Amino acid sequence: MALTKETTAALVSKFGANEADTGNTKVQIALLTERIKELTAHVKQFPKDTGASRGLLKIIGQRRKLLKYLQRTDLNTYRQLIKDLGLRK
């Protein structure tokens, strides 16, 4: 259910400035997107798992707040990140 170390390291190296740059907004959004993908698959398989559904909604809210912040502060980076992650088609 949780992200593996390899997946996390790959996302951090792709979206961050270096391997230790986990606080970057782009990295946080990318990590949340991966968790959302995994939880979505879980909730589809187990629709009565209300705890997972609630957790999914909380993570979606977190990502939405971070995306709003990024859009407000750096519009070009926001647009590039949306394109890279495949959000808002």
Side-chain angles (χ1 to χ4, degrees):
M1 190 83 124
L3 295 177
T4 62
K5 289 183 181 181
E6 294 81 22
T7 307
T8 304
L11 287 172
V12 170
S13 65
K14 181 177 179 184
F15 292 101
N18 56 33
E19 292 80 28
D21 190 17
T22 57
N24 192 338
T25 307
K26 295 188 307 185
V27 174
Q28 290 182 28
I29 292 170
L31 290 172
L32 287 174
T33 302
E34 278 301 312
R35 287 182 62 197
I36 287 170
K37 287 178 184 175
E38 289 184 0
L39 268 176
T40 302
H42 174 80
V43 169
K44 284 181 181 177
Q45 186 177 2
F46 303 102
K48 292 185 179 183
D49 189 355
T50 56
S53 299
R54 183 172 186 272
L56 176 62
L57 291 176
K58 286 181 75 169
I59 293 171
I60 290 171
Q62 269 185 322
R63 184 180 70 177
R64 184 181 305 131
K65 289 177 189 176
L66 286 171
L67 283 169
K68 276 185 178 180
Y69 167 77
L70 190 61
Q71 184 180 21
R72 196 174 59 238
T73 57
D74 191 0
L75 188 60
N76 292 330
T77 304
Y78 167 78
R79 288 180 178 158
Q80 185 62 40
L81 184 66
I82 292 295
K83 191 181 297 181
D84 290 344
L85 293 176
L87 302 174
R88 292 185 180 86
K89 297 175 183 169

